[in-house]
Each structure stands twice: as structure tokens, then as C-alpha cells.
Amino acid sequence: MDVTAEAKQIMVQALGKMYSSRSQRGGLRLHRSLLLTLVMKSARDIYHSARLMSEKSGQSVTEESTSHTQEPMDTSSSTATPLRETSGQSSEDGQRSGLEGHPHPLNPAADKENCSPSRPDRHSRKRRSKTATDSDFIPCKKAKLECAEVRGVLQNSSANCGRALDSLSLVPMPRTIVTF
Amino acid sequence: MEDSRNTSGFLRDHNYSTEADIISTVEFNPSGELLATGDKGGRVVVFQREQESKNQPHRRGEYNVYSTFQSHEPEFDYLKSLEIEEKINKIRWLPQQNAAYFLLSTNDKTVKLWKISERDKRPEGYNLKDEDGRVRDPATITTLRVPVLQPMDLMVEASARRVFCNAHAYHINSISINSDGQTFMSTDDLRINLWNLEVTDSSFNMVDMKPVNMEDLTEVITNAEFHPQHCNTFAYSSSKGSIRLCDMRDAALCDKHSKFFEEPEDPSNRSFFSEIISSISDVKFSHSGRYLMTRDYLTVKVWDLNMESKPLETYQVHDYLRGKLCSLYENDCIFDKFECVWNGSDSVIMTGSYNNFFRMFDRNTKRDVTLEASRENSKPRAVLKPRRVCVGGKRRKDEISVDSLDFSKKILHTGWHPSENIIAVAATNNLYIFQDKIN
């Protein structure tokens, strides 16, 4: 499973780079963020198609290893839902990765717990607001931590604190993650 | 092959590199008399070529520091809670119109027009103040005299004449001066704005690539340049590896290109990193205006403006890195933005690589050479020795293997004198100037 391991490594690194670029001087670089998003997308496509290949050949060993890898995989943006599927949905999962998203036809009830709240427009594949996909979305926690750190820095500095703090809480991170 | 003279002309000759001293841009002025460098600390250092003199023939044409000034300072954007780096991204010289020199320098957000002028005389003999500047007691003044200009030690002054700011929401990556001498454009990731050099409070947007929904973003602008002769034409490159040529006469908003240059991707070369390595990091018109040169991570391409389907020529800069993309992605080197330059006659192109190597390609003879910019190899008047990278198998004596390359030593910025064979190579915080001497 070289390809899936490599793909996963690339995705994890991309995420790491994106988070570290938030604290970089000069702010987020759009070009770099875009390239990282594209790399993640490539890696994710290859990861899914490689998983699909292996699952079609019916290797149970592969499923075991990939279910373990779902933990870090859950940190990726719009594929959070498909990846949280139970192993019984494996073939559905593989199909979904290749197509535009659509609601599960099979046992939706079993997945309600893990699914994001009601998604009537799931097929549009637009990324939902942060609150909808929050829960134990690890990146979100880290972002808040960084906000708090920055806030601390602002409070300590002699800069225009009041307005800066106000705008900080409202500033959305540029959403350059491209959905497909 | 080529005579060289090492002029590490920075004021601070440190052995350790402070980040502020890292050179971020290099540019000769149109006559080649001046060479400007910008660094990460927001400073601009201008070198001037010495006049050739019969008394000191061995110092003929050496570049010495002419002026140093702080162009940009770090700033804080309170609205977005972001620090704005003072790093100089680009410097472009204006054509010379009088005794003073003018250049545009830019950081991520603000473009400034600087005037560099000489002062070698000062007025002396004022009536109301004495030579030290102290005001004289009017009661002691009994005669009137006319102040006269007296010679003084040459002083080179730099003053900011215009500041063009608040026009870019994203980071400025390039500036280009129009051949009309009156306008220039500044380019960020998504927009290209046109300015008049005299007007700082307004600019015109020419290209806007921002999608309605930022989540739909797939492409950003990486560079833009005006055509050297046609004041209505400019080109801009994208992160997808394409170049668009635009005609400003078509419409006020140049979102529709008049030409689109893109080479179809070779499917056999497809990898995780195909998008990153196809992103164009520099675009330069040839001096003739007939060709365009683009640099992406592994190649330099020369395009004929009349042929959009594929480049005229493709040169491999360091193809041995193709198998190392994963490691280069890990250490962030894959995001390095290399620049490229033409020589005066458009017959040779040059670009940088790693390990302080830089490459030159002769378009006519199809020969290429790899040279190294380092103190050890560049004693004054020494001849630069071509370097070779061993790509596999048995390494010859003077070759270097790919794994031994130092990826922290990268040559991103180079310059070529507009008419002579003099090149400037920036290696981190050192500047090397090499000359071809015909004895």
C-alpha cells in the first residue's frame, strides 16, 4: 500500500503546512494555500481510488489498516462524512469518492450519529459553515488556540488593541480549500 | 570560458546570514550603469559601475555601492490583524529622463517610487545664518552677499516621491513599467491594477480573477509584465502553468485574453505534485518583444507570441529533481520561486537552481552550462568552472551527486546587464557579479 501511505503522508504534511502558514509573518499566502489544497486533493483522489481498488479485490487486511487511518483522515475538510462510514458501506464509500456527493441510500439511520446535521444540499458539495462541521474537528481547536495566542500578543502590545480584538474574532480564515 | 570577478558588495560582510540580509530581488537599470538589490529587511542597495579609466584598467567596470536606503518598513494591518512584511518583492527601474534615477520598489502591499539623485554642491554664504546653520543676529549684518554654490563631497540621496498603497487585498508579486513611461501595473494573486506614476490615490483594475465564491478558486496570478514595445499589451502567468496575453484596447477590464499559452500536460509525468511544479514562477518578455520566457519548477520555456499551443523551446533546469519531489515537498523547496532572465541579445537565458548553481542556455548553439556562485570558487579574476550533477550510476571526480546538493543554498534571483555580458547572481545574502572579459 505504498500509494495510500504516501498519499496519506502528503495529506498530513499539507495540513501541517497550512496550519504553520497561519502563524507566518505576512499572513496566509493565497498561492501557497491553493497549491497545498490542490496537492491534498490529488492525494485524496489517489488515496480513495487506491482504497477502492484494494476493497474491490476484497482484501480484509487493507480495510483494517485503512479504518485505523481514518482518525487523521477525519481532519480533512469535505470528505469527513464519507470517511466516517462503517466498513459495511465500503463499496458505497468508494463510489462516493468518485462522484458528486449524494445522501446514503442504505441505512442512513446507522450513520446519523456520525453524519453532519441535515444535509439537504449534500450534492452541491459546498463546504458548510464551520459550526456545522465542527464537533471534534481537530483543526478548529488548534485555530482557536492560535487566535487566543494572537489575542494575547495583541493585548500585550501597544497596538490599537480594542478594534484589533474586535476584528480578530470576526475575521474568517480565507477559505481556499477547494471542494470538488 | 568566462572570466569572473567576485564583488560581494554588501555593506555587511557577515559570515553568518541574518534573515534581513537575504536578497529578494535584483535588477539592472536600462543602461546597465546601476544595479539595485532589495532584501528581506526592506532595504534597497544600489550599485554603480565605475567609469573605465586608463589609470586603473584592472578595476574597469567594477560595481560599487552607490546608495542604500530603507524602502519599506514592517507594518501592521489592524483590520485583518496581519503583519505586512517589509521584504522587497520587486524593483523596477524607470527609463532615465534627467540626472536623477527613479525606481519602483514594492513589498506585499505598497509600491513606492524612489528618486535617487546626486548632490555635489551646496550653497554657502547665506546672509541670515552662518556656516553652521545658526541664525545670525540681524544687528550684526551690515552687508549683503549672494550665496554661491561650492563643491562638496558627493552625496547620493534617495527620497520617496510617490507611495501607491491600499490597492491590493492580496500579496503583490510583481510590478511592471509600461513602455509609455507614464503608467505601471502592480499584480497580486488575483488582481492586476494599472497606475499612473503621477497619481497615487487611484488605480484601475485590469484583471480580476477572484471568483464569486472563494471556494471555487482554482488558479491565481503569479506574475505579469508589460510588452517592451507595445504599450497596450501585457502578459500574465498563472499557477496552472498558462500565460495570457491581453490587449488593453479591447476593454477596460482585460478579463478576456487575446492569447492563451498553455502546453498540454504530459500524462506520463503526472504525480501528486504536478500542479505545484507546473505553476509559473516568472515570466519575461524578450528584449525584442517576440518571445516570452516562463519558469516553472523544473524547466524554462521560451514561447513564440505567435504560437499558443506549445512552447518553442523547453530547457530542463534540474530534471534530476523530478524523482525527489516528495522530499522537496517535505522541506518546502518545491514552493521556491525561481526567476529567469534574458541576455541583451535574447540569445542566452539564465536561471538559478540549488547548491548555489545557476544555469545558462544558449538558444542558438543549444549548449548549456551549470556554474556555481560561491566564495571558494570565485576568487577575483578566476575563471568559473562548469559544474556537473551526477544523476546516477558512477560519479565522476568533479561531479556532485543529487543527494549532496545543498537545498538551502538556492539562487532565485539573477540579473543580466542589458547590453553586456555582466551578470548579477544573488545567493542568499551574497551578491556575485560576473563579467565576461574580452582581452
Side-chain angles (χ1 to χ4, degrees):
Chain A
M1 275 299 113
D2 264 341
V3 175
T4 47
E6 198 186 355
K8 200 189 79 165
Q9 192 189 18
I10 288 169
M11 279 189 281
V12 167
Q13 280 174 353
L15 283 168
K17 287 179 199 296
M18 282 199 258
Y19 290 129
S20 62
S21 66
R22 285 184 184 184
S23 50
Q24 229 174 37
R25 274 191 84 208
L28 269 180
R29 302 256 153 202
L30 189 64
H31 185 198
R32 188 183 156 90
S33 305
L34 178 68
L35 291 178
L36 285 170
T37 307
L38 293 172
V39 161
M40 253 189 49
K41 191 183 135 182
S42 287
R44 195 166 56 193
D45 288 345
I46 292 168
Y47 180 87
H48 280 313
S49 52
R51 261 190 64 186
L52 171 66
M53 297 290 285
S54 65
E55 279 153 9
K56 273 192 169 162
S57 65
Q59 294 173 21
S60 58
V61 180
T62 314
E63 278 177 41
E64 282 299 306
S65 61
T66 49
S67 63
H68 287 308
T69 63
Q70 275 177 12
E71 275 292 319
M73 284 309 296
D74 286 345
T75 62
S76 62
S77 53
S78 59
T79 57
T81 304
L83 288 168
R84 286 192 186 124
E85 296 224 16
T86 60
S87 52
Q89 299 292 314
S90 53
S91 56
E92 274 293 308
D93 180 32
Q95 279 179 3
R96 191 168 293 105
S97 65
L99 305 167
E100 295 297 305
H102 49 266
H104 328 210
L106 305 168
N107 52 336
D111 262 65
K112 259 210 170 92
E113 206 180 303
N114 293 327
C115 264
S116 311
S118 56
R119 307 168 70 90
D121 58 338
R122 182 71 187 92
H123 57 271
S124 80
R125 286 204 146 240
K126 293 292 183 203
R127 199 161 68 116
R128 308 307 294 270
S129 65
K130 269 193 138 187
T131 48
T133 54
D134 252 351
S135 59
D136 55 347
F137 194 81
I138 298 168
C140 200
K141 284 179 188 170
K142 208 174 174 185
K144 280 174 195 155
L145 185 67
E146 282 176 20
C147 278
E149 284 175 359
V150 175
R151 213 171 276 139
V153 169
L154 285 175
Q155 281 167 341
N156 291 336
S157 75
S158 57
N160 190 359
C161 290
R163 279 193 75 83
L165 284 177
D166 289 337
S167 59
L168 185 61
S169 52
L170 294 171
V171 161
M173 299 310 298
R175 293 166 166 217
T176 58
I177 298 185
V178 178
T179 58
F180 62 103
Chain B
M1 280 183 71
E2 195 177 316
D3 257 348
S4 77
R5 176 165 299 175
N6 178 3
T7 319
S8 296
F10 252 150
L11 296 179
R12 277 170 284 268
D13 198 8
H14 288 156
N15 286 326
Y16 56 92
S17 58
T18 49
E19 197 166 313
D21 293 335
I22 295 173
I23 301 172
S24 49
T25 185
V26 172
E27 186 80 357
F28 278 97
N29 78 332
S31 66
E33 182 202 351
L34 299 180
L35 172 66
T37 61
D39 66 22
K40 264 192 138 186
R43 283 172 308 234
V44 171
V45 181
V46 180
F47 299 87
Q48 185 186 44
R49 194 174 183 197
E50 260 186 29
Q51 293 299 327
E52 300 188 7
S53 92
K54 292 190 177 60
N55 300 335
Q56 293 183 308
H58 62 278
R59 291 180 71 78
R60 190 175 62 208
E62 204 180 82
Y63 282 84
N64 298 313
V65 177
Y66 180 62
S67 173
T68 303
F69 55 94
Q70 187 73 33
S71 171
H72 288 72
E73 298 272 6
E75 288 174 56
F76 195 81
D77 180 342
Y78 295 104
L79 212 55
K80 293 181 187 168
S81 298
L82 286 175
E83 200 179 350
I84 301 170
E85 273 193 280
E86 66 276 29
K87 173 167 79 85
I88 308 294
N89 293 334
K90 285 280 155 60
I91 290 175
R92 289 289 181 263
W93 290 94
L94 268 68
Q96 197 172 3
Q97 289 176 323
N98 51 38
Y101 304 100
F102 288 87
L103 62 79
L104 283 177
S105 68
T106 186
N107 69 348
D108 283 338
K109 296 286 182 183
T110 304
V111 184
K112 292 187 184 180
L113 175 68
W114 287 90
K115 175 181 178 183
I116 301 164
S117 50
E118 292 181 7
R119 191 194 290 270
D120 60 356
K121 294 185 183 51
R122 70 159 173 255
E124 282 176 21
Y126 283 102
N127 292 295
L128 298 175
K129 56 182 181 183
D130 61 24
E131 297 311 316
D132 296 330
R134 283 190 296 249
V135 178
R136 287 170 71 189
D137 179 3
T140 63
I141 300 169
T142 52
T143 58
L144 277 180
R145 55 185 177 172
V146 177
V148 258
L149 289 173
Q150 298 288 359
M152 59 179 258
D153 289 337
L154 179 67
M155 200 165 75
V156 181
E157 303 172 313
S159 59
R161 306 301 289 176
R162 306 269 189 277
V163 177
F164 306 92
C165 56
N166 297 325
H168 287 280
Y170 300 94
H171 297 111
I172 297 175
N173 51 54
S174 50
I175 45 176
S176 178
I177 298 173
N178 201 339
S179 52
D180 69 6
Q182 294 180 356
T183 55
F184 74 94
M185 64 178 171
S186 55
T187 307
D188 68 31
D189 294 312
L190 296 177
R191 298 190 175 104
I192 303 180
N193 294 333
L194 181 71
W195 302 83
N196 183 301
L197 283 162
E198 300 296 323
V199 179
T200 59
D201 59 3
S202 61
S203 71
F204 294 95
N205 177 246
M206 292 200 290
V207 174
D208 190 339
M209 284 190 77
K210 187 175 180 186
V212 169
N213 195 338
M214 277 299 275
E215 290 170 10
D216 299 331
L217 181 75
T218 55
E219 194 176 9
V220 297
I221 304 171
T222 53
N223 253 288
E225 196 182 47
F226 270 116
H227 191 281
Q229 283 93 36
H230 306 314
C231 58
N232 57 290
T233 305
F234 66 91
Y236 66 95
S237 57
S238 84
S239 55
K240 274 189 174 173
S242 63
I243 308 104
R244 290 171 177 82
L245 201 69
C246 295
D247 189 332
M248 290 155 68
R249 298 170 299 189
D250 281 344
L253 194 60
C254 303
D255 275 356
K256 275 178 62 179
H257 53 264
S258 54
K259 291 202 183 187
F260 183 77
F261 300 84
E262 194 177 48
E263 183 175 28
E265 194 196 341
D266 180 0
S268 64
N269 273 338
R270 178 111 191 101
S271 75
F272 286 114
F273 311 106
S274 295
E275 282 98 356
I276 303 186
I277 63 170
S278 63
S279 177
I280 294 177
S281 52
D282 197 14
V283 65
K284 291 261 170 46
F285 277 99
S286 64
H287 292 95
S288 63
R290 279 189 59 195
Y291 305 103
L292 259 180
M293 169 166 55
T294 57
R295 174 74 155 96
D296 53 53
Y297 191 64
L298 296 177
T299 69
V300 189
K301 294 176 180 165
V302 175
W303 303 76
D304 185 324
L305 288 188
N306 298 318
M307 185 165 69
E308 299 167 56
S309 54
K310 60 183 172 80
L312 199 61
E313 300 147 23
T314 302
Y315 300 94
Q316 302 295 332
V317 181
H318 37 216
D319 201 54
Y320 46 79
L321 296 182
R322 200 178 283 276
K324 305 270 174 195
L325 294 178
C326 205
S327 328
L328 293 165
Y329 163 75
E330 213 174 327
N331 64 13
D332 270 355
C333 284
I334 205 173
F335 299 103
D336 287 336
K337 296 186 176 141
F338 292 94
E339 292 172 10
C340 52
V341 288
W342 297 89
N343 74 337
S345 57
D346 300 333
S347 58
V348 182
I349 58 182
M350 174 168 72
T351 188
S353 177
Y354 294 104
N355 209 73
N356 279 350
F357 287 170
F358 57 100
R359 304 260 285 137
M360 284 191 205
F361 302 92
D362 189 318
R363 296 178 60 218
N364 301 324
T365 65
K366 300 301 177 198
R367 276 170 34 202
D368 62 84
V369 69
T370 305
L371 300 169
E372 182 179 358
S374 73
R375 285 180 198 271
E376 296 80 37
N377 300 337
S378 316
K379 300 285 178 276
R381 309 189 70 74
V383 175
L384 277 180
K385 206 179 70 163
R387 303 302 310 265
R388 295 184 74 82
V389 176
C390 164
V391 290
K394 207 158 153 45
R395 185 179 76 88
R396 284 203 282 263
K397 195 171 74 96
D398 56 352
E399 283 184 349
I400 182 165
S401 71
V402 179
D403 296 315
S404 315
L405 294 173
D406 188 342
F407 290 96
S408 67
K409 293 184 179 168
K410 49 194 91 172
I411 292 181
L412 305 173
H413 314 286
T414 59
W416 203 309
H417 189 284
S419 49
E420 295 185 39
N421 279 347
I422 304 172
I423 57 173
V425 176
T428 318
N429 61 332
N430 289 311
L431 182 72
Y432 292 83
I433 301 176
F434 300 113
Q435 302 192 42
D436 213 10
K437 282 274 166 58
I438 303 156
N439 292 315

